[in-house]
Amino acid sequence: SRELRRGLATTLALIGVQGETTTLGGGITGGTWVSGVLHSLFKRANADETGQLWASLTDVLQLLAEAAPDIFLGAIETATDHPDTVLSQMFTDNQGDSLTSSSPHTGLLWALEVTAWSPAQFSQSINALARLSEIDPGGRLSNRPFNSLKDIFRPWLPQTLVSRTDRLEVLATLVQRYHDVGPR
C-alpha cells in the first residue's frame, strides 16, 4: 500500500539522518545499513531496462534521497552515464482528467532539489539536473530539469544553502561542461 511504502521510506530517512550515531545489531551503524539497502534498491532500478522501478519510486524518492544522498546521487550518475538511460522512461506525461497531468520525473526532480540544499551534495545534484535536462524530451508539465536549475540558481531567492561564490563556481563549470543544456 502507499502508506506502507511511505512509512518504510520515512523509517529509512530517519535512520539515515541519524547515520553514524545509531548502532544496530552486530555493531553496524544505521547509516551503513540504510546505505546498503538503498544501494541495492538503486542498483536494481538501474538494471531495470523498462524504467518501471525508478518510476514506481517517484512518490518516495525525496525521502530516499534524504536517507542516503550520496547513494542516491551515485545511482543517478550511474544511470545517466548511459546514453539510453532508464531514467528517460520517467519523462512521460500521464493524462488525468481534462485539467491535470502527471509524470514520474517530478519525484526525481524534487529529490534532486532536496539534495541541492546541502553544500556537500550541491555540485553533484546540479550535474544530475543538467544531465537530466539533456535527456528531457519536454512535455506539458512545467516541472522540468532546466526549470529546477533556474530555481536553484535564482539570484534573489536561491533554493540552496550554498554560498553565492560557490554557486557561481558551480554555474561556471556547468556552462563549460553542458553546452546543450537549455530550455526546450
Side-chain angles (χ1 to χ4, degrees):
S1 77
R2 172 170 259 170
E3 290 79 18
L4 181 60
R5 287 168 40 87
R6 189 133 185 94
L8 288 170
T10 300
T11 301
L12 288 171
L14 290 170
I15 294 171
V17 167
Q18 293 302 314
E20 304 309 313
T21 61
T22 304
T23 304
L24 305 176
I28 191 169
T29 65
T32 302
W33 180 77
V34 168
S35 291
V37 168
L38 293 183
H39 176 75
S40 175
L41 175 64
F42 292 134
K43 185 175 180 181
R44 283 185 40 227
N46 282 339
D48 174 19
E49 294 177 6
T50 68
Q52 289 180 348
L53 184 50
W54 271 111
S56 74
L57 297 171
T58 191
D59 62 326
V60 293
L61 277 177
Q62 281 179 284
L63 290 166
L64 300 179
E66 285 184 76
D70 292 334
I71 300 298
F72 168 71
L73 290 167
I76 299 295
E77 189 173 316
T78 298
T80 57
D81 277 345
H82 304 290
D84 56 338
T85 176
V86 297
L87 295 178
S88 64
Q89 302 302 316
M90 292 186 73
F91 290 94
T92 56
D93 288 353
N94 302 319
Q95 300 302 320
D97 59 32
S98 61
L99 298 175
T100 63
S101 64
S102 64
S103 177
H105 81 271
T106 58
L108 179 59
L109 297 182
W110 292 333
L112 287 166
E113 290 168 10
V114 164
T115 59
W117 278 96
S118 169
Q121 282 86 32
F122 182 73
S123 180
Q124 200 173 1
S125 301
I126 296 304
N127 281 324
L129 284 167
R131 287 176 178 198
L132 291 173
S133 186
E134 288 181 324
I135 65 168
D136 178 14
R140 291 184 48 193
L141 295 174
S142 64
N143 193 353
R144 314 304 310 176
F146 185 77
N147 290 337
S148 293
L149 284 169
K150 287 191 316 188
D151 288 345
I152 290 168
F153 283 105
R154 186 183 318 124
W156 60 91
L157 187 63
Q159 299 299 299
T160 184
L161 295 173
V162 175
S163 72
R164 179 182 176 275
T165 304
D166 290 343
R167 286 194 316 270
L168 289 174
E169 187 178 306
V170 169
L171 185 58
T173 303
L174 182 74
V175 169
Q176 290 174 355
R177 187 177 297 156
Y178 299 98
H179 302 288
D180 296 333
V181 173
R184 306 218 186 255

